[in-house]
Amino acid sequence: MPTDTDERPLVELASAAATAPTASSSPAPFPPPATPGFSRAVRCNAPSSFPADGGGGAYPGNAISTAKYTAASFVPKSLFEQFRRAANCFFLVVACVSFSPLAPYRAVSVLLPLVVVVSAAMAKEAVEDWRRKQQDIEVNNRKVEVYDGAQSFHETEWKKLRVGDIVKVKKDEFFPADLLFLSSCYDDGICYVETMNLDGETNLKRKQALEVTMGLNDEHFFHSFKAFIQCEDPNEKLYSFLGTLYYNEQQHPLSPQQILLRGSKLRNTSYIYGTVIFTGHDTKVMQNAMEPPSKRSSVERRMDKIIYLLFVILFVIATFGSIVFGMKTKHEISPGNYAWYLRPDQANIFFDPNRASFAAFAHFLTSLMLYVCLVPISLYISIEIVKVLQSTFINQDQNMYCEESDKPARARTSNLNEELGQVHTILSDKTGTLTCNSMEFLKCSIAGVAYGNRPIEVETSYGEIAETTDNYGHKDTAEVKRLVKGFNFTDGRLMNGRWAKECSRDAIEMFFRVLAVCHTAIPVADRNSAGMPYEAESPDEGALVTAAREFGFEFYHRTQTTISVHEYDPVFGGKVDRTYKLLNILEFSSARKRMSVIVRTEEGRLFLFCKGADSVIFERLSKDNGEACLTKTKCHIDEYSEAGLRTLVLAYRELSEEQYVVWNQEYSAAKNSVHTDHDEAVEKASEDIEKDLVLLGATAVEDKLQNGVPECIHKLAQAGIKIWILTGDKLETAVNIGYSCNLLRKEMEEIFITLDNSSTSASEGCSGEGNGMAPYEEIDRKLHDARTKISLKQTSTSFALIIDGNALTHALTGSLKNSFLDLAVNCASVLCCRISPKQKALVTRLVKIRTSKTTLAIGDGANDVGMLQEADIGVGISGAEGMQAVMASDFAIAQFRFLEQLLLVHGHWCYRRIAAMICYFFFKNITFGFTLFWFEAHAMFSAQPAYNDWFISFYNVAFTSLPVIALGVFDKDVSSRVCLEVPSLHQDGVNNVFFSWSRILSWMLNGLCCSIIIYFGSLNVILIQAVREDGRVAGFDILGVTMYTCVVWTVNCQLALYISYFTWIQHFVIWGSILIWYTFLVIYGLFPPAISTTAYHVFLEACASSPLYWLSTLMIVVTALIPFFVYKISRTLYYPKYHDQLQRTNSKN
């Protein structure tokens, strides 16, 4: 009997008779030899770390580790990760060489910036990994009750569990390992499980213990319990399990119904007993724990190429300088050619005229260190900081917050922010992504008669239905007033038992019975609801069971072997209770596209009830079905599909006892088999019974579009983004939804590529002459005809391509892939229907590789995971199908309409900011680095640095780092309102306007010009003048400070000229950075000469009191800024681009 604290659904609290353990199969005292892939051997109640059959290696412990590093491996592995970057590796080499006599700087000044940057990155890694480690410790130390072999259970940590242990898990606790479910507090051996941590689904799953073990529901039973399990090896398949339990000299097949997976939680059940099968990293949840595919944005990939370009520039100027130096040194061997102050006769090995080649090589190494500032050491860490802050803005955007579900947008990775602004193609799922995935039973066809008068959303949107009336010409107000979730059906002929007056009463009764019995739903007691609510595996199934309830066939109780229904009996004129003995469930799968149950009625009759897609049910119908009924049903299905409804066909078959016994032996043998062909054997057995069906009718369920979907798709189309919809629905349903969501428009010309003769006959260029062709040749011809038609079309007519799964199978093979993609990219919209999850991923990969443009995939279900991971950007919808898509995505939003804000606003801003930030980084480093080169050239490449070594070290780290970060976080050329009002701005990112090679090189050229102006301006103004108060002329120390001051002012003021949107933060960091330079110069100059060297008192004693220093700084900085200022003004006034015009208009407003 249920316990006092029983929390199972109230309708299931009826007394359940204790079932005595019975043998279900033939004797099997010893298991057969293990087959490949099925070698797991477990002795229940005899825990061991080694296989029960003595073979193989030890089983892992139950402790898990998701941390990337250990205490011993952190330093070497993290350092390896940091120095995989070419820039960091180069700086490491330079730092090592700086300890040699070749170094132009002190080693510490070269090493410190590298240490700071690498340490910051390693600290970030350490913090993230420490959080993972803490989570692992918390999980591993959770408590669970385990059987000690002496008739009692005691608490122990999860990490101490071993394979074969018997554990007791209580309500609301997580399962500590993958368990074989033995028994529960319920006498009928059921329990309820929440799998949100595995697949994100919140609806409860019903698990069922084997009949032979469900009696083990008390501790003292386990003292003598011994059993042996042989099952599949550890794998990642969450929804499948094959194995056999050997108990009491009998073998019993195991299925996923008896497996409780680690990470899922026990609900509505006081306790369960189970034996451990898989531990630790062998569990299915850990087998699924894998690193997401590494994705890098196209901007980052181009940035790497620019880094390599800078390396080339560095090596070129170093080589040039060393060649000139070598030639000059060689000439010094002649007494008439050398300068007396160089004293080549007393030169060391690095300046020896007799060994000029070696001296040139040594100078080359020195030059690499001298010009190291050309490569921006802080670029990577700065970009990481900026992207994290950008992600924070995305997460906090109130315009992407869904009040209904209380879910904000989430950037699950910050690596791809700028990629959002470059999206060229969107590949979208339909159900749950464009639609609400909240199904409502709307219409049905029974025995060739159509029922249901509710208007369909799509029809209403076109104004085709003005008022809802029933077939008798009056509004059925009784049904309109009562709103039931999942049921939006009105027709006086079927409601309130009036179906009993229809001429096809028997077919209608059987139709409703199939709806009430053929499912895997669970009834849930809810005293606040109008009727019995259900936990179903899909919204479709929930709507169908709800419809059966509303028609008078209320499913209210389920056990392992029975289904109980309150049925309306037309003879008695009221409801009667009927219980069906559940013999077999042939489960639904995406491959089967149908599900069946075999039941025995109270009268002893055997029935197979089946529901599924029309394409699989019609081919399994008996030839005795009436042709008129079949034709009318097909016609109704076509009408429902054209109206955008989801359809299922219902059928049944009555079985004789002999037929069932023979088939059940075959089916049981297939289910008991433990080998790689298990699934094929089960499917073959299912095929043998699912035939000769009697057609009952069809159901039509409506899945409404989410709010704002048509407007969002229209806006994205205006932005020039190509949109593909990939759905498993029928062609007619998909086309109708395409029209309702604005993917297809009336001015578009449709191109159908399909192998369905009935559809192709209506398509352009698809006549009956191709029907006799092989499918490959037929698809080839249709693709060729369609491409020819588009190429000959001279008007601005846009095309829409519609292709079904069968045709797509051939279109994705061989040479047809190129033809298919050439056709698709020339169409404004593409709609792929009847498509499998694998085909979704294949299409996504094809589009990504062949177009070389940024692709974005968006979906909400587990069947979309492959597509999301294949695309450059994966966006998950946190909808009704759970969180598996979200967990595999890069960005998560609550509704499709938020994609508009994510791409057109945040995408545009992030792309422009990151592009400008990188270009500016290279500009400021080119400006700084080439002033060194000009000084070297002027000094005959003597390797004398123009600046103090600490000036060079802090240039990227302190004096120019914050303004560029502020640019990447806060700058915006136009407001979010303009981004949405002018969606064509998105094409700037698609065409890579802000990060093209011409723009990058122009920034570099600007830096080169600035370096020339700064160096030669400083040289001619400062070097020949009396700068000090005592009349002494400037030395290279004052020249270096003047040049450095001009560089700091120029690069920061250049940024101020570029920025479009000023905030106080930008002002603070730009002018603050300049102030930091002066503060540093004063403080550093106060240190002793041994430390400050050329900076000792240079500012306070020479520069600060010299009007020439301040005046020359002003003149040089203004002169250096003039080229960019003139270019910007002239381009904006005389050669404005589209975004320039918008920016000016936005500024005026």
Side-chain angles (χ1 to χ4, degrees), residues 125-173:
E125 288 278 323
V127 170
E128 291 177 352
D129 209 56
W130 176 252
R131 290 172 181 165
R132 288 191 288 264
K133 183 68 175 176
Q134 292 300 107
Q135 291 173 349
D136 292 341
I137 292 173
E138 189 272 327
V139 169
N140 290 332
N141 288 330
R142 287 177 181 171
K143 302 291 186 180
V144 67
E145 293 187 22
V146 62
Y147 189 66
D148 60 5
Q151 298 188 8
S152 66
F153 283 78
H154 68 277
E155 278 195 346
T156 188
E157 291 91 358
W158 280 21
K159 62 185 178 184
K160 295 181 180 179
L161 288 182
R162 293 182 294 168
V163 172
D165 271 327
I166 304 294
V167 297
K168 180 179 182 180
V169 180
K170 297 180 180 177
K171 174 178 165 282
D172 293 334
E173 290 182 349

Side-chain angles (χ1 to χ4, degrees), residues 966-1042:
L967 168 69
V969 176
F970 299 106
D971 190 40
K972 51 185 177 183
D973 53 344
V974 291
S975 65
S976 59
R977 177 183 58 81
V978 174
C979 288
L980 295 175
E981 289 178 354
V982 190
S984 56
L985 270 177
H986 182 79
Q987 285 300 304
D988 288 345
V990 175
N991 298 322
N992 213 4
V993 169
F994 295 111
F995 205 59
S996 62
W997 277 110
S998 60
R999 195 176 187 91
I1000 295 165
L1001 295 176
S1002 66
W1003 273 97
M1004 289 185 170
L1005 181 61
N1006 185 27
L1008 190 63
C1009 293
C1010 288
S1011 69
I1012 293 173
I1013 294 171
I1014 290 171
Y1015 174 72
F1016 289 102
S1018 301
L1019 182 70
N1020 290 291
V1021 173
I1022 291 292
L1023 205 57
I1024 61 175
Q1025 304 295 333
V1027 176
R1028 295 180 181 268
E1029 291 181 349
D1030 57 6
R1032 285 183 296 165
V1033 296
F1036 86 95
D1037 54 347
I1038 298 177
L1039 176 65
V1041 169
T1042 304

Side-chain angles (χ1 to χ4, degrees), residues 1073-1130:
S1073 295
I1074 297 173
L1075 183 62
I1076 290 172
W1077 154 242
Y1078 285 117
T1079 305
F1080 170 81
L1081 189 56
V1082 171
I1083 296 174
Y1084 182 52
L1086 296 176
F1087 281 82
I1091 299 175
S1092 58
T1093 63
T1094 59
Y1096 180 69
H1097 284 193
V1098 68
F1099 182 72
L1100 293 177
E1101 292 184 359
C1103 298
S1105 58
S1106 172
L1108 183 63
Y1109 168 77
W1110 297 105
L1111 185 60
S1112 61
T1113 300
L1114 177 62
M1115 291 175 56
I1116 292 169
V1117 170
V1118 171
T1119 306
L1121 294 175
I1122 285 175
F1124 177 77
F1125 183 76
V1126 171
Y1127 166 76
K1128 185 174 182 180
I1129 293 296
S1130 60

Side-chain angles (χ1 to χ4, degrees), residues 927-949:
T927 301
F928 184 57
F930 268 88
T931 56
L932 280 168
F933 177 73
W934 305 131
F935 180 85
E936 277 298 291
H938 191 261
M940 299 304 294
F941 296 100
S942 60
Q944 172 65 47
Y947 305 120
N948 183 285
D949 46 6

Side-chain angles (χ1 to χ4, degrees), residues 187-207:
D187 292 337
D188 53 357
I190 64 170
C191 72
Y192 298 94
V193 174
E194 180 187 275
T195 60
M196 179 181 289
N197 283 353
L198 301 181
D199 54 19
E201 296 183 9
T202 55
N203 54 310
L204 300 183
K205 310 292 192 304
R206 185 177 184 272
K207 296 291 184 176

Side-chain angles (χ1 to χ4, degrees), residues 401-414:
Y401 171 72
C402 180
E403 292 186 5
E404 297 96 21
S405 59
D406 190 29
K407 290 177 181 176
R410 280 285 175 263
R412 304 187 71 252
T413 177
S414 60

Side-chain angles (χ1 to χ4, degrees), residues 444-510:
C444 62
S445 171
I446 309 175
V449 179
Y451 298 93
N453 305 309
R454 281 281 190 193
I456 302 165
E457 184 185 68
V458 175
E459 293 174 345
T460 307
S461 67
Y462 282 104
E464 295 174 7
I465 296 181
E467 188 178 57
T468 304
T469 58
D470 64 12
N471 284 6
Y472 303 108
H474 63 277
K475 294 179 73 174
D476 201 346
T477 55
E479 281 77 29
V480 171
K481 291 179 181 178
R482 185 179 178 223
L483 298 177
V484 178
K485 183 180 179 181
F487 188 75
N488 195 17
F489 178 92
T490 59
D491 196 320
R493 294 172 292 172
L494 295 186
M495 301 303 296
N496 301 321
R498 280 175 272 181
W499 57 267
K501 300 177 182 178
E502 293 289 295
C503 58
S504 54
R505 186 182 76 175
D506 294 340
I508 295 174
E509 182 177 13
M510 186 62 77

